[in-house]
Amino acid sequence: MEGGGPAVRRRSRSASARERSRDRARSRGACSPPARKRPSSGAGEEPQPAPASPEYNNDSEEDMFGDYDSFSGNDSLLAQFDNMEQECIQSIDLTSCTKNMEEKATVEPAFGYLQLQNAKSKELIFSAAGNIIGFKTEEESHLKTTSEQDNRTLEPGDCFLDDLPSSQLLYFEEMNKTLVDSRKSSGTKESANDMNSCLDKMLNQSSCHHNAEHTKINNELSPSTTSNISKRKSLKDHLKNTMTGNAKAQTPQVSRTKQLKEAVLSEEICVAKKTIETSSVDIGPFYGLPSKVRDLLVQFRGIEKLYEWQHTCLTLESLQQRKNLIYSLPTSGGKTLVAEILILQELLCRQKDVLMVLPYVAIVQEKVWALSSFGIELGFLVEEYAGSKGRFPPIKRRMKKSLYIATIEKGHSLVNSLIETGRVGDLGLVVVDELHMLGEGSRGATLEMILAKILYTSKTTQIIGMSATLNNVGDLQQFLQAEYYANNFRPVELKEYVKIQDSVYEVDNKAENGLTFSRLLNFKYSSNLQKMDPDHLIALVTEVIPNYSCLVFCSTKKNCENVAEMICKYLNNGLTSDERKRIEEAYSAGVLCLLTCTSTLAAGVNLPARRVILRAPYVATKFLKKNQYKQMIGRAGRAGIDNAGESILIVQEKDKHLVQDLVNSPLENCYSNLFLEFTKGIQSLLLSLVGLKIARNPEEIYHFMCGTLFGVQQQFLSKEKSLSDITREALGCLIEKGLLKGKMTCEKEQKSQSNLEITQLGQATYKGSIDLAYCDALYRDLKKGLEGLVLESCLHLLYLTTPYDMTDHCRPDWMIYFRQFSQLNSVEQKVAAIVGVPESFITKKASGQAIKKDVDNGVVNRLYLSFVLYALLKETNIWNVSEKFNMSRGYVQNLLNSAASFASCVLHFSEELEEFWVYKALLTELTKRLTYCVKAELIPLMEVAGVLESRAKQLYDSGYKTLAHLANADPETLVKMIEHLSRRQARQIVSSAKMLLREKAEALQEEVEELLKVPTDTSEGLLTTLP
């Protein structure tokens, strides 16, 4: 209603029906009210008596005031209460005069019968819901209640109180208070809790028995009770005042159905938690998880049933006993789903944090995107640790648990920070995807460090590793102290073929040479087409497209471009992140049916195809490895997309024998890279061991090294030196570099040796994850920068944060170098002189003159790359900058990503050295600018996983200008407003935004609680004297 009055909901009825209802109401004062009637179906029909057991109607179906517009518009309802009150008082007076006589009184309710049950044998009960004052003996109440309860089963939502309007709820509370006061004045010793319990019973009984029936009630009243009732405020005034005062009270927003669902979910989580703690055979509703998880898998993934191997793996006794596990299946077998179920068990049932380590930034962002929806529904946080993102140490959550999804490098920094703060035990589970990456260079060495530190410092953290390409599993089992599970299941059959000239052979392990003839190609080519495509690549592609998708892997980017010019659009490392994202989305949606790409795609992105063609058995100039071959062909025939898959390897006659060996050979072994990657490997590991106080002397360090993969494989990897010799040699190098301090005693005196200590430079190096090969150079550059740091622009800071390892691949164009230098103002040109590149050097190089004075090429190249970054921050357009510097867009994109990551490392490096305090604030802002490289207003949107520059611009232009706007957006509205946005993408973007917003809010709340927390080290006397 308008005007601020109480809004009363009512059913739509005809005018004549309402008149008849009101006429009847006026004549009810002096007689017993009739049984409640059902609403008439038409104006001309006579009202029919209600059935004996009508269905319960809540306030959304029929209002508590029946057919009246409001209680103030017609006083007939209040008149009824007044008459009933007078009748009650007269009846009480009569009963008090004849209290020794047993009389029976029949009372007929006005709006429905209300049956009451009391624990006392004789007690007065006021029932406002039925507008009746009744008296009943204990025996009659018990018999009636028992008989009716046997015939009625309460449903979960069948609750009288939950469905009442707020004003009626407040009225019942006031009635309860009045009755309690009446009890106290009459000397009754019952507590208010008893009355509340009685009132609850009354309301619950009324919800089950509001049909129209007649009953006989016997009771007695004491004179004191009668006198108290007579003093009570008029029921009419009481009801009117209560309703008027609380008319504006709001009805609770949470529905009863939602409350029940939340209660069921909470109960199932508790049950699942108990099940897992007891390691019982009974695994609960869904592998120890609430049934809601199963529903979400259907909703978000379309997964209705697990594969048999997945069920077997999840019910392994080793998992029930929380042992570490390695499991291996072919690509597309469903390995990730098993890991995700184990992750949810840890988060929801055991209430522990989880770390998931993935190989590439793109995969991290994709997984954050996919699991944010589960986090929103199930109440855990998903935090991204990739590139420059991530907080060290992570915020300690009191209420919710976190799933950290990290790249290998960020995962290592995260584990270090948890060990340093004594919180590594909070990690209940560590999941590693692509475990075979242990054998891949410096990244493999870093992954080995993560796992070795977890194994050594936390005995309660479970480790799960998975891969499709593992061979020497025994070494990995010994390293991880793990059980092993393997299966050859693949939901979609994959057939492998090799094309040699015009013949196609099927890979057959039973054949003598591993190949069986399949068919002969007979494509009709013109002479020009034959010259352009001698390997019949176009014919092989057109057999599949456009009805199905096809991927063509090429050995080099140049070859990829050449093939793409011939047949299709292409995808390779020469693309920007935005371009890659759009092409991946178009390919996944079926808009693109053919892609040519380099081998990076095989492990970087999940893009399936019906047919995969390998243009040549090479990656760059190196012959293909079996692991690489399996990763590439594994893209063919993905579950849920295709019902078949096939791969074709195009081979020249000269490589025939090599290919036969390739298809018949086992997978390559996985070997430790700690020793091969000396500065990024063993030296970096030992430095962090001392810094984190995991091991502080050579003996403890040797004991730790025995537990690494290198320790397991040491005799094979280094036959000339023992593990002890290698360890002592690495420690000696760290002491010489000034990263550790202490004395190295001979091996015979190890028992009496003193502990090693880390220096400030060493502390900064391992905390900043700086390559030990560059830590000295970085320190010198930052120190020199303090002498004359140019802050008029960010060019000087960009030079300091340009990655050292990018300079080796830089080949400056000297005319462009000179042109860009000339466009700088005089202050910016001084930066070149400060870092050691004089103007004369650039001028002579551009004019082709001889250079007599030596200049460090590393510094020259680094300054050139800083010019590229400077142009990027000013223009924020990779296309323009790549053309200006004659570089591929992919190279510029890689430079930008590397600079953002290295800037974050330099920031952490500076935080550990007090002399570099000035860099802390400067690098924080620069890191954010490098991370997103867009206009400032787009940064909040690009913080959301999966939202890149082009999508952020679309969202901003459509009015979604903040994270809050995006988190509260309707996915359907997004689809309509944003061009080329699918419903799935819209839902994931909204879920990711909600997760990020929730994470930030939780972080702020944790800070507030930490500030308000009482110090634990303060004496009790001091605390009590404070005001």
Side-chain angles (χ1 to χ4, degrees), residues 538-556:
I538 293 177
L540 292 173
V541 167
T542 53
E543 285 183 333
V544 179
I545 63 170
N547 295 329
Y548 301 101
S549 57
C550 182
L551 282 175
V552 180
F553 284 104
C554 301
S555 56
T556 64

Side-chain angles (χ1 to χ4, degrees), residues 368-370 372-373 376 581 585 941-948 950-952 954-955 960 962-963 965-971 974-975 978-997:
V368 170
W369 212 27
S372 291
S373 301
I376 292 295
K581 186 71 175 176
E585 290 174 355
L941 298 178
M942 290 189 64
E943 288 180 342
V944 178
V947 176
L948 297 179
S950 59
R951 186 71 76 197
Q954 285 182 307
L955 292 168
Y960 300 96
T962 66
L963 183 60
H965 285 145
L966 201 54
N968 291 281
D970 177 25
L974 278 180
V975 172
I978 306 300
E979 191 176 5
H980 306 307
L981 181 68
S982 67
R983 282 180 172 80
R984 174 178 172 271
Q985 293 166 347
R987 287 193 297 266
Q988 288 182 325
I989 286 175
V990 172
S991 294
S992 298
K994 285 182 178 178
M995 177 57 67
L996 183 59
L997 189 64

Side-chain angles (χ1 to χ4, degrees), residues 88-89 187 212 308 357 547 550 699 747 855 882:
C88 174
I89 294 174
E308 184 178 346
V357 181
N547 295 329
C550 182
E699 184 178 2
E747 193 170 351
V855 178
S882 62

